Amino acid sequence: MDLNRYTNPEMGAIWSAQHKVDLWWRVELAVTEAWVARGRVPEEALPALREGKVDLSLMAEYEKSTDHDVIAFLKAATDSLSDPDAARYVHIGLTSSDVVDTALAMQLKEAMELILRDVASTRAILASLALEHKHTIMIGRTHGVHAEPTTFGLKVLVWYDEMGRHLHRLEATANDIAHGKISGAVGTHANVPPDLEEDALLRLGLGTDPVSTQIVQRDRHAAVLNALALLASSLDKFATEIRHLARTEVREVEEPFGAAQQGSSAMPHKRNPHKSERISGLARVVRGFASTGMEDVTLWHERDISHSSAERIILPGAFILVDYMLRQFDGIAGKLNVYPGRMRRNLDLTGGLIFSQPVMLALTESGLDRQVAYKIVQRHAMEVWELHASGETGPSFMDRVMDDPQVEKLITVTQLGEILSLERHLAHVDEAFRRAGLG
């Protein structure tokens, strides 16, 4: 997969090969500094070590012969030291995963901070859109079929609230993943004491994994991937709703369409929701990455390497794609074309059938058996339903109900008018916004 197409430079920098090995060297330095504090390494060695740099091309040459990336990294890094004698103070007591997993925790922490910033931006855009259309009346649909009136603002408010839950999940996951380990080959601290581990990790801004093997356990990484997959699934959900509402027969909203934009190579009239479709497609990839992350939890004994090859793809891939999806969705939601007039026309398509429930409730409240009331209302509703399906015209649902002798005995015309008002349906919209924190 060509991730360059989707990569935000900020996110790309976090997952670059150079940044990865730079973080590896930071871990080595933090451990060496902790050894200096304990008198095992002379402080005079630190200036040379702090000037160390990793030449990726040289590292690649070493890896051809060693077939081991961390050994190649150590050779390339120590080759750069102005004082070759300082090299003997590098990697004391460490195993490769001490360096790799701790640096990975730093990468994941940085990437999570960027995603959290992105989510906050998306949520702000949704808040603005929800407030703008707080009272923009439209039809609510269940099973794709007209149900009862709602507002477009309420629809978007659901998305805003959902993104708030993602913020909480991501924050918790970011805290959970920001843990490293410097505990040696099988996690027993045989060559690196626990207090040194805590010291080194504190220098790196990480928590200490309380108990580790040769690696940080992969349930932490799987949780990150699952949090990203959940976020991607919500973006997929929002995009799918926009796609449905943009259908020609509905056309209540539409993706922004530039003056020079072209929707089809064959049909000049086309204005396709292709960005929303792209989000839906990429969400499937991210969910696949999460599934692989779950598989990576199961490793042999204190560690095998089967997770490593997969993580080189799924971790940067998930972050890069979700970051891209968020920015794409911001572009859609921030300039979404909303058509209130079309929403109102669609609301009226069924001749008042959307008021069937309040009519039935009014009949039951007047003393009629609920099943009897249901059948009366359903009979009139189905007649109107069939009439509209055939494309013919006739009395509306309201007209039929008002002309029904059984209804006339129980509900006055004035009461029926109140029942069939949109205001009654939408009286609590403000309360929903207040509950969501946008009151």
Side-chain angles (χ1 to χ4, degrees):
M1 181 174 62
D2 180 14
L3 288 179
N4 290 328
R5 178 181 180 187
Y6 307 110
T7 307
N8 168 15
E10 285 185 273
M11 186 63 80
I14 291 171
W15 293 105
S16 70
Q18 187 65 59
H19 187 58
K20 178 180 76 173
V21 296
D22 287 347
L23 290 176
W24 286 4
W25 190 243
R26 281 181 61 189
V27 175
E28 294 284 359
L29 283 174
V31 172
T32 304
E33 287 168 352
W35 280 124
V36 168
R38 284 154 181 78
R40 182 167 179 178
V41 173
E43 191 168 355
E44 300 79 57
L46 288 178
L49 292 174
R50 286 170 178 157
E51 293 172 359
K53 296 288 183 184
V54 182
D55 184 323
L56 285 176
S57 59
L58 181 60
M59 179 179 164
E61 284 301 311
Y62 282 136
E63 193 171 353
K64 288 179 183 177
S65 57
T66 63
D67 196 25
H68 195 291
D69 57 353
V70 175
I71 293 174
F73 150 76
L74 289 169
K75 287 171 68 66
T78 54
D79 278 357
S80 74
L81 300 179
S82 58
D83 179 7
D85 188 56
R88 64 195 180 97
Y89 301 118
V90 175
H91 209 68
I92 295 175
L94 303 186
T95 189
S96 296
S97 289
D98 288 328
V99 178
V100 173
D101 272 12
T102 300
L104 179 57
M106 296 166 72
Q107 272 185 298
L108 291 167
K109 181 181 177 183
E110 292 173 1
M112 273 297 210
E113 288 171 356
L114 189 52
I115 291 294
L116 284 166
R117 189 185 75 189
D118 289 345
V119 171
S121 173
T122 300
R123 199 164 184 246
I125 290 170
L126 290 175
S128 178
L129 186 62
L131 288 167
E132 180 183 356
H133 293 285
K134 186 177 186 179
H135 298 293
T136 300
I137 296 170
M138 66 180 300
I139 187 62
R141 298 171 173 90
T142 57
H143 306 275
V145 178
H146 284 205
E148 292 186 347
T150 184
T151 75
F152 186 64
L154 272 176
K155 185 184 292 288
V156 178
L157 185 67
V158 170
W159 303 351
Y160 167 84
D161 190 50
E162 192 163 334
M163 292 301 281
R165 291 192 293 278
H166 285 299
L167 270 179
H168 293 309
R169 291 190 194 104
L170 290 164
E171 286 167 353
T173 308
N175 290 331
D176 191 48
I177 198 59
H179 287 74
K181 56 89 60 181
I182 310 287
S183 58
V186 293
T188 59
H189 295 94
N191 300 295
V192 182
D195 66 308
L196 186 139
E197 175 186 47
E198 293 172 4
D199 184 358
L201 293 174
L202 186 61
R203 293 169 189 268
L204 296 169
L206 295 176
T208 302
D209 196 4
V211 184
S212 56
T213 58
Q214 190 176 99
I215 60 167
V216 172
Q217 302 308 293
R218 260 42 198 178
D219 63 291
R220 293 183 187 269
H221 305 74
V224 168
L225 288 162
N226 276 280
L228 293 175
L230 271 173
L231 174 55
S233 294
S234 287
L235 293 173
D236 180 13
K237 164 187 166 180
F238 308 158
T240 299
E241 182 69 11
I242 289 171
R243 290 164 59 194
H244 279 307
L245 296 180
R247 285 178 296 137
T248 306
E249 295 82 359
V250 181
R251 207 179 173 198
E252 294 176 352
V253 305
E254 200 170 46
E255 282 188 8
F257 195 87
Q261 189 173 336
Q262 295 174 297
S264 166
S265 64
M267 297 167 284
H269 73 277
K270 294 283 279 179
R271 293 175 69 157
N272 303 322
H274 70 283
K275 289 186 174 67
S276 296
E277 290 171 334
R278 189 180 306 155
I279 288 171
S280 291
L282 292 176
R284 298 166 191 167
V285 179
V286 178
R287 288 191 288 266
F289 288 164
S291 177
T292 303
M294 297 287 281
E295 297 292 330
D296 282 347
V297 173
T298 305
L299 301 174
W300 287 16
H301 305 303
E302 276 59 59
R303 182 250 182 143
D304 66 59
I305 203 171
S306 60
H307 65 289
S308 177
S309 55
E311 285 179 357
R312 292 169 194 243
I313 299 169
I314 63 177
L315 288 173
F319 276 99
I320 287 169
L321 291 183
V322 170
D323 173 68
Y324 174 82
M325 292 165 66
L326 284 163
R327 289 181 294 113
Q328 284 285 295
F329 184 73
D330 286 359
I332 297 168
K335 296 182 179 179
L336 189 68
N337 294 315
V338 180
Y339 302 120
R342 183 63 178 241
M343 290 177 174
R344 186 55 189 258
R345 285 196 295 274
N346 287 343
L347 182 89
D348 295 333
L349 272 178
T350 59
L353 292 182
I354 57 178
F355 299 109
S356 67
Q357 182 174 196
V359 173
M360 181 192 69
L361 291 176
L363 289 172
T364 58
E365 288 169 8
S366 68
L368 201 61
D369 177 81
R370 190 179 192 281
Q371 278 302 308
V372 174
Y374 188 102
K375 289 295 184 182
I376 291 172
V377 174
Q378 186 184 41
R379 174 167 50 84
H380 293 301
M382 291 302 101
E383 289 172 356
V384 175
W385 184 280
E386 296 295 336
L387 198 67
H388 278 270
S390 66
E392 298 177 12
T393 58
S396 68
F397 174 70
M398 186 191 309
D399 291 337
R400 291 173 183 272
V401 169
M402 292 174 67
D403 288 342
D404 187 298
Q406 286 181 282
V407 174
E408 282 183 325
K409 294 176 183 176
L410 300 169
I411 305 175
T412 67
V413 173
T414 301
Q415 287 175 318
L416 194 59
E418 293 173 356
I419 292 166
L420 302 177
S421 72
L422 290 170
E423 289 73 17
R424 179 182 178 279
H425 275 270
L426 306 176
H428 302 296
V429 169
D430 288 341
E431 176 63 14
F433 273 77
R434 186 195 64 77
R435 286 182 173 186
L438 289 181

